C-alpha cells in the first residue's frame, strides 16, 4: 500500500476538485469497493465517495452546529480524518454510517471548543407565489425555525445527535446506535426525551 498523504485528494488534487465542482459522478461503484480502492491509495475512488456523501454530511453538520461555515469546516476535517483512517475502516459497517460517526464526533468537538451560533441562512425562505410567502406568514415561519434551532441547541449533545440523525437524516435506530456507539434502547430513550422537550418548547408554534 502506498504511503498516505496528510490531506485527502479532495483538498489538493485539481482533478478531484473538478469532479466536486460538477464533473461526472464516477463509475457507479458501491461504497465498499470504492473505500477498499481508496484505502490502497486510489484518489479517484475517494473523490467519488466525497462527491456522493458530502451534501448529506453538510446537512448533518449544519443541524448540529447551527452555522454553515462551521459545518463546512467540520465536514472537510471529517474527510481529512477518513482519508487518513481508511486502512482502519471495517466493511461490516456501511461507509455512510462510518462517515456519519466521524462527522458527529468532529461536530461535538467543535461545539465544546466554541459557542454555537445561529446562521439565518439555515432558514428556508418560501417560494415566490406560495401562500406561505405572504409577509406575516413568512415572518411566522422564520420565527418558528429560529425557535426550533434554539430548542435543539438546548438539548444535551446525545439527544440532539439522535434527533438529527433520525428526524433529519432518516437513519434507522440500528444505524444511529452504530454512529453513536450506544445501544438501540439508549437511542430510543434519547429520542423520546428529545421529542418531549421539543414538543414542550414548540407548543406555541403548533
Amino acid at each position: 500500500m502506498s504511503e498516505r498523504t496528510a490531506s485527502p485528494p479532495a483538498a489538493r488534487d485539481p482533478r478531484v476538485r473538478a469532479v466536486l465542482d460538477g464533473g461526472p459522478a464516477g463509475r457507479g461503484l458501491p461504497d465498499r469497493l470504492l473505500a477498499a480502492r481508496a484505502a490502497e491509495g486510489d484518489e479517484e475512488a475517494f473523490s467519488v465517495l466525497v462527491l456522493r456523501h458530502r451534501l448529506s454530511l453538510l446537512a448533518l453538520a449544519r443541524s448540529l452546529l447551527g452555522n454553515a461555515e462551521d459545518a463546512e469546516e467540520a465536514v472537510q476535517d471529517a474527510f481529512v480524518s477518513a482519508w487518513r483512517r481508511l486502512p482502519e475502516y471495517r466493511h461490516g459497517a456501511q461507509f455512510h454510517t462510518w462517515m456519519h460517526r466521524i462527522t458527529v464526533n468532529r461536530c461535538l468537538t467543535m461545539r465544546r471548543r466554541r459557542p454555537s451560533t445561529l446562521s439565518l441562512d439555515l432558514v428556508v425562505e418560501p417560494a415566490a407565489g406560495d401562500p406561505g410567502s405572504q409577509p406575516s406568514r413568512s415572518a411566522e415561519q422564520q420565527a418558528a425555525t429560529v425557535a426550533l434551532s434554539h430548542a435543539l441547541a438546548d438539548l444535551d449533545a446525545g439527544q440532539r445527535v439522535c434527533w438529527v440523525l433520525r428526524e433529519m437524516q432518516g437513519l434507522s435506530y440500528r444505524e444511529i446506535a452504530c454512529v453513536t456507539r450506544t445501544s438501540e434502547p439508549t437511542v430510543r430513550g434519547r429520542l423520546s426525551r428529545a421529542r418531549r422537550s421539543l414538543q414542550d418548547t414548540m407548543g406555541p408554534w403548533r
Side-chain angles (χ1 to χ4, degrees):
M1 182 181 302
S2 61
E3 183 179 356
R4 304 193 69 74
T5 56
S7 298
R12 62 183 182 83
D13 190 327
R15 294 172 300 173
V16 174
R17 175 53 52 194
V19 172
L20 292 178
D21 289 341
R27 293 165 288 182
L29 298 176
D31 283 356
R32 291 184 181 183
L33 181 55
L34 289 169
R37 291 187 176 183
E40 296 174 351
D42 186 334
E43 297 183 355
E44 182 182 355
F46 189 76
S47 74
V48 175
L49 290 170
V50 172
L51 179 64
R52 187 173 291 174
H53 296 284
R54 182 175 178 272
L55 291 181
S56 174
L57 295 175
L58 277 174
L60 168 64
R62 290 175 72 178
S63 298
L64 294 176
L65 296 172
N67 181 281
E69 183 177 345
D70 288 347
E72 186 75 39
E73 178 182 339
V75 171
Q76 182 179 31
D77 288 350
F79 277 121
V80 170
S81 178
W83 173 250
R84 292 170 175 167
R85 295 167 54 189
L86 270 171
E88 307 169 15
Y89 171 58
R90 298 293 179 264
H91 300 291
Q94 296 289 332
F95 180 80
H96 79 90
T97 303
W98 187 63
M99 282 303 311
H100 273 66
R101 180 189 300 164
I102 295 174
T103 303
V104 165
N105 288 341
R106 179 55 187 159
C107 289
L108 293 179
T109 297
M110 291 177 66
R111 282 177 61 84
R112 286 193 294 267
R113 292 179 178 175
R114 66 185 72 169
S116 61
T117 57
L118 177 66
S119 175
L120 293 181
D121 66 357
L122 302 185
V123 178
V124 178
E125 297 183 1
D130 190 299
S133 65
Q134 310 226 345
S136 60
R137 180 60 177 166
S138 177
E140 181 180 348
Q141 288 177 334
Q142 288 196 353
T145 302
V146 171
L148 176 59
S149 297
H150 285 301
L152 285 171
D154 288 339
L155 296 176
D156 72 44
Q159 292 176 21
R160 188 181 194 195
V161 167
C162 288
W163 190 90
V164 168
L165 291 175
R166 179 63 177 173
E167 304 297 339
M168 302 185 73
Q169 294 282 307
L171 270 64
S172 68
Y173 295 117
R174 181 178 180 180
E175 288 174 319
I176 298 171
C178 182
V179 169
T180 58
R181 296 189 176 182
T182 57
S183 65
E184 289 187 49
T186 297
V187 169
R188 292 178 185 275
R190 289 177 179 177
L191 278 170
S192 178
R193 290 190 293 274
R195 286 165 176 161
R196 285 199 301 268
S197 178
L198 292 175
Q199 285 173 356
D200 291 343
T201 302
M202 298 302 294
W205 302 101
R206 290 184 177 180

